[in-house]
Amino acid sequence: MKKIKVFVIDDSAVVRQVLTEIFKQDSQFHFLGSASDPIFAMDKMNHDWPDVIVLDIEMPRMDGLSFLKKIMTERPTPVVICSTLTTEGSETAILAMNLGACDIITKPKIGLKDFLNESTIALTDAVIAAASASTKHLQNPSQTKEYKIQLEKKQELSSLQATEKIIAIGTSTGGTIALEQVLTKLPKENTPGIVIVQHMPEKFTEAFAKRLDSICEIRIKEANDGDRVVRGLALIAPGNKHMTLKRSGAQYYVEIKDGPLVNRHKPSVDVLFRSVARQAGKNARGIIMTGMGDDGAAGLQEMKEAGAETIAQNEETSVVFGMPKEAIKRGCVDHILPLTEIYKKIVGFD
């Protein structure tokens, strides 16, 4: 099996040291080296171009976002962002994802070395997933316009109507852009309640939800424990927490809870989908989109067995076809659709 060539760009000597050790000790990787900023990195990488770049955002001489734009324009290459775990950092990292980065790995300001050592599995999984990403999709990062002024005031959450139908969506690598392309097509009228798991670290899901809310007609928010699932609203599971669907009479709501990793993830798509199968049954539709691994396949199968209609994103439009592929292999997918057609399975599901 071909080794994945990795290069690290980070101005922290500690980060470079720890990541060097991690990648050199894992036989899946061929570690090409590291640099303290993109200018130094370009000189080194031109001799042996990496399969995946692990990139910091705040660096001297050239920041990570400027470098990311340059790479995606000149030589599209899978990039994993390694960013500080702060609200400000999370907003910048979400912008990086929108520019074509594959995934985010967080790092704290203190206890950095121990944290990175403990996060080895998450880091290596992210790099492996990025290595299998389709570069043709990296060349076309999201071009959705940022609407600074809402033309129409959005309906208050408290006035949104109850939903009898549920849309459950699960996605991972490449999912931030995929979700944007789907959710921005949904009208504020005629859209049932939506629950979403996007594999993403804590703090980043809030920034992601706020950004989507600013460009979508429907309401988008990071879910809180007890939030009602209502028409015209999409709830995104918070990073590092599982989200399940619950029902009380005619009302649906979400439960946010801690717990162990499921399929190496928290939040887990399987956790959400299984709860939707039990609580909503045939009144739900399950959608699995781009991502590495098999999280969501078992849950989607349970949804189908409970009478739900199921949809998978096709290979041609997926950044990584792993999650949809696993669901299709199980025989639990009713429709295999390109990303541009998926929104039609949401609108008007009454």
Side-chain angles (χ1 to χ4, degrees):
M1 185 175 178
K2 182 183 175 183
K3 291 187 176 184
I4 299 168
K5 296 190 289 186
V6 184
F7 195 93
V8 172
I9 309 175
D10 199 302
D11 64 338
S12 166
V14 174
V15 172
R16 295 198 305 274
Q17 176 191 355
V18 174
L19 296 188
T20 297
E21 293 173 0
I22 288 172
F23 289 122
K24 281 189 172 181
Q25 291 172 6
D26 194 321
S27 61
Q28 298 176 95
F29 304 105
H30 173 42
F31 185 67
L32 295 179
S34 65
S36 59
D37 70 39
I39 306 298
F40 289 130
M42 286 299 293
D43 289 337
K44 294 183 177 181
M45 292 192 304
N46 280 330
H47 296 291
D48 193 357
W49 198 261
D51 298 314
V52 179
I53 299 169
V54 178
L55 178 68
D56 188 16
I57 291 179
E58 297 179 358
M59 291 177 291
R61 298 209 291 173
M62 179 186 283
D63 66 274
L65 289 182
S66 298
F67 176 71
L68 185 61
K69 291 177 185 178
K70 178 181 174 66
I71 286 294
M72 292 308 172
T73 300
E74 298 177 2
R75 191 168 181 174
T77 304
V79 171
V80 172
I81 296 297
C82 193
S83 176
T84 304
L85 188 64
T86 65
T87 301
E88 181 180 350
S90 66
E91 292 171 352
T92 306
I94 295 303
L95 178 56
M97 298 282 281
N98 208 49
L99 291 170
C102 291
D103 211 340
I104 304 168
I105 296 297
T106 60
K107 58 181 183 182
K109 289 186 174 181
I110 58 174
L112 187 57
K113 189 170 183 178
D114 289 342
F115 179 87
L116 287 172
N117 282 322
E118 292 169 3
S119 302
T120 297
I121 292 176
L123 174 65
T124 55
D125 280 356
V127 172
I128 292 169
S132 64
S134 170
T135 55
K136 70 178 181 180
H137 295 302
L138 301 179
Q139 296 178 56
N140 299 292
S142 173
Q143 298 296 322
T144 301
K145 183 179 178 181
E146 289 276 7
Y147 294 106
K148 299 299 181 184
I149 301 175
Q150 294 290 338
L151 297 180
E152 266 185 75
K153 188 175 180 181
K154 288 192 176 183
Q155 195 173 359
E156 294 297 325
L157 291 176
S158 59
S159 65
L160 291 172
Q161 296 179 348
T163 183
E164 293 182 358
K165 306 293 184 179
I166 295 288
I167 301 291
I169 301 175
T171 186
S172 187
T173 310
T176 55
I177 293 175
L179 282 170
E180 179 179 313
Q181 292 184 16
V182 171
L183 298 179
T184 51
K185 290 184 173 71
L186 301 179
K188 61 182 179 180
E189 305 292 341
N190 223 22
T191 296
I194 304 171
V195 286
I196 300 169
V197 164
Q198 159 71 54
H199 294 155
M200 189 177 281
E202 60 182 318
K203 295 187 182 291
F204 291 82
T205 41
E206 181 181 6
F208 179 52
K210 286 181 177 178
R211 184 186 181 283
L212 286 175
D213 188 60
S214 73
I215 58 176
C216 293
E217 285 191 30
I218 66 170
R219 298 299 299 260
I220 317 280
K221 72 182 292 287
E222 181 186 58
N224 293 314
D225 189 50
D227 276 350
R228 289 175 56 218
V229 184
V230 292
R231 297 178 64 83
L233 171 67
L235 295 173
I236 298 177
N240 203 36
K241 298 287 183 182
H242 289 303
M243 181 169 75
T244 58
L245 184 72
K246 299 291 183 181
R247 184 167 188 162
S248 177
Q251 302 287 333
Y252 291 106
Y253 65 97
V254 294
E255 183 176 84
I256 307 300
K257 57 186 179 182
D258 206 346
L261 299 179
V262 176
N263 295 329
R264 301 170 83 133
H265 293 288
K266 186 169 62 171
S268 163
V269 181
D270 267 336
V271 169
L272 175 64
F273 280 3
R274 283 170 172 152
S275 70
V276 173
R278 293 162 190 164
Q279 300 294 323
K282 65 181 181 181
N283 290 321
R285 281 183 181 169
I287 302 172
I288 193 162
M289 302 200 303
T290 176
M292 181 75 172
D294 62 357
D295 189 29
L300 196 71
Q301 185 169 21
E302 289 191 25
M303 287 187 65
K304 182 173 175 61
E305 290 170 353
E309 189 173 0
T310 57
I311 299 99
Q313 185 178 349
N314 70 355
E315 183 173 8
E316 291 73 20
T317 62
S318 294
V319 173
V320 178
F321 191 50
M323 286 165 54
K325 181 180 180 181
E326 288 300 319
I328 293 166
K329 281 170 61 178
R330 287 174 176 257
C332 62
V333 173
D334 294 316
H335 309 281
I336 303 171
L337 300 175
L339 186 60
T340 53
E341 298 293 311
I342 288 176
Y343 79 97
K344 296 177 183 178
K345 286 295 181 180
I346 300 175
V347 178
F349 175 40
D350 292 316

